[in-house]
């Protein structure tokens, strides 16, 4: 397959990003050839040198590694083909998680906040406020010290990481009994007097390249801390669809999950319901408080967390009730 030089450079960056490890020009060439991109090692070497000049690649021991600048360049170049990427990530976690609601072990989809080490106590205090107000998927969290590794993510020196269970765990729970939940929307849900009254905004999972919940948080739309404190404000929810014929089975699993510390389901609606002011939908819906809600106050209160949503799977047994960590 013949492609332009610009696309060859993007394919080189994509190869380095996908493998996640340093590669020699020979190794890059072999991978490109397997994709049907007919280039020589000499050509690859020329383009690698050009990408180094642009700070998109760095070399070490004759092997290339993609840089942050390279990742930004790759994201800009592939933005349209990445539409729906976050939905794909949710589905990847759904099929690769090993969590069992019946044995309470295995790996679970996890949201992560990386924060300055000296801010950890304040972070946990804010997160406990959200947990006590029952505004998230679970009270269970994980705290990891600097320079430790979580799956593929290393916690930088001077930082700590806080893991919170993602609402994608409901996709995993239902898949284990043969029910596929479709991740449809992230919703911004208004609360008044500590009760949900209706949605004000929706983002379709299939039309975005990053977590819709993260978009709500970064955009300043959420007010989790105010909801917990005063009962008024906005929270993030996940809207998941399933066959109406599975209604009773979903209801049963939700009850079991609640008994075992996995919470956050606001309602289960049939296609003809109009709960929470949702329009009539062609399938049954499960409306779940998003796991990212527990991390939202860290952003709202200016603690500048680096948020990673649904990027890793972690061992459920490593999570503890937040009360034990404060």
């Amino acid at each position: 397959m013949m492609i332009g030089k610009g696309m060859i450079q993007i394919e080189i960056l994509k190869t380095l990003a996908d493998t996640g490890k340093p590669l020699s020009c020979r190794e890059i060439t072999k991978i490109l050839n397997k994709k049907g991109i007919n280039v020589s090692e000499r050509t690859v070497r020329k383009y690698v040198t050009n990408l180094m000049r642009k700070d998109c690649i760095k070399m070490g021991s004759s092997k290339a590694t993609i840089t942050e600048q390279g990742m930004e360049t790759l994201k800009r170049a592939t933005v349209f083909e990445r539409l729906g990427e976050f939905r794909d990530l949710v589905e990847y976690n759904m099929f690769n998680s090993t969590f069992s609601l019946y044995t309470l072990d295995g790996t679970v989809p996890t949201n992560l906040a990386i924060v300055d080490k000296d801010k950890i106590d304040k972070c946990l205090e804010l997160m406990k406020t959200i947990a006590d107000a029952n505004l998230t998927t679970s009270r269970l969290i994980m705290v990891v010290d600097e320079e430790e590794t979580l799956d593929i993510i290393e916690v930088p020196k001077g930082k700590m990481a806080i893991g919170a269970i993602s609402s994608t765990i409901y996709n995993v729970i239902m898949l284990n009994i043969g029910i596929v939940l479709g991740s449809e929307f992230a919703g911004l849900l208004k609360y008044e007097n500590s009760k949900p009254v209706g949605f004000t905004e929706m983002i379709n999972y299939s039309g975005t390249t990053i977590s819709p919940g993260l978009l709500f948080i970064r955009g300043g739309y959420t007010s989790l801390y105010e909801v917990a404190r005063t009962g008024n404000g906005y929270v993030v929810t996940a809207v998941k669809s399933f066959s109406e014929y599975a209604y009773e089975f979903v209801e049963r699993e939700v009850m079991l999950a609640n008994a075992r510390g996995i919470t956050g389901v606001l309602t289960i609606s049939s296609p003809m319901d109009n709960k929470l002011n949702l329009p009539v939908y062609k399938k049954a819906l499960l409306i779940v408080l998003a796991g990212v809600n527990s991390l939202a106050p860290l952003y709202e209160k200016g603690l500048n967390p680096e948020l990673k949503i649904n990027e890793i799977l972690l061992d459920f047994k490593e999570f503890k009730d937040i009360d034990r960590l404060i």
Side-chain angles (χ1 to χ4, degrees), residues 213-250:
L214 186 57
L215 289 176
F216 282 135
I217 293 169
R218 286 179 176 173
Y221 292 97
T222 65
S223 44
L224 265 298
Y225 186 74
E226 288 305 310
V227 175
R229 193 175 64 85
T230 69
N232 301 310
Y234 297 89
V235 308
V236 181
T237 65
V239 180
K240 303 172 185 291
S241 66
F242 63 95
S243 169
E244 62 179 307
Y245 303 111
Y247 192 100
E248 291 183 6
F249 297 99
V250 169

Side-chain angles (χ1 to χ4, degrees), residues 83-235:
L83 284 174
E85 186 176 70
F86 185 75
R87 186 171 186 168
D88 291 340
L89 180 60
V90 169
E91 291 179 356
Y92 173 88
N93 284 334
M94 177 171 68
F95 288 109
N96 286 276
S97 169
T98 60
F99 176 71
S100 168
L101 184 59
Y102 295 88
T103 60
L104 293 181
D105 60 10
T107 56
V108 293
T110 303
N111 299 323
L112 203 66
I114 298 176
V115 299
D116 293 337
K117 199 168 185 176
D118 60 0
K119 297 176 181 177
I120 191 69
D121 290 339
K122 180 62 175 176
C123 290
L124 293 177
E125 178 186 323
L126 289 170
M127 291 178 68
K128 177 173 165 52
T129 300
I130 303 307
D132 289 346
N134 300 316
L135 293 173
T136 190
T137 306
S138 174
R139 296 182 63 85
L140 301 174
I141 67 168
M142 176 189 297
V143 178
V144 178
D145 209 347
E146 60 184 343
E147 299 184 298
E148 292 189 31
T149 300
L150 290 166
D151 198 1
I152 59 172
I153 297 173
E154 182 176 347
V155 183
K157 188 173 180 58
K159 303 280 187 177
M160 293 186 76
I162 308 171
I165 295 174
S166 166
S167 56
T168 302
I169 194 170
Y170 275 104
N171 298 66
V172 177
I173 288 169
M174 298 307 166
L175 187 62
N176 285 340
I177 61 168
I179 298 170
V180 177
L181 291 185
S183 295
E184 302 293 343
F185 307 96
L188 192 67
L189 182 63
K190 185 175 183 179
Y191 268 66
E192 290 180 356
N193 299 318
S194 300
K195 293 182 179 180
V197 295
F199 289 96
T200 60
E201 304 291 345
M202 286 277 188
I203 299 178
N204 193 313
Y205 278 86
S206 63
T208 180
T209 60
I210 62 175
S211 161
L214 186 57
L215 289 176
F216 282 135
I217 293 169
R218 286 179 176 173
Y221 292 97
T222 65
S223 44
L224 265 298
Y225 186 74
E226 288 305 310
V227 175
R229 193 175 64 85
T230 69
N232 301 310
Y234 297 89
V235 308

Side-chain angles (χ1 to χ4, degrees), residues 26-41:
R26 178 171 295 180
E27 290 169 327
I28 294 171
T29 304
K30 286 181 178 178
I31 293 172
L32 293 181
N33 290 166
K34 286 180 180 178
K35 291 181 179 179
I37 301 171
N38 301 315
V39 290
S40 66
E41 184 179 338

Side-chain angles (χ1 to χ4, degrees), residues 295-315:
L295 303 176
L298 314 189
Y299 198 92
E300 294 168 5
K301 295 300 179 180
L303 297 179
N304 301 317
E306 179 185 354
L307 299 179
K308 297 180 179 293
I309 310 303
N310 259 336
E311 292 187 21
I312 54 176
L313 298 169
L314 297 179
D315 187 350

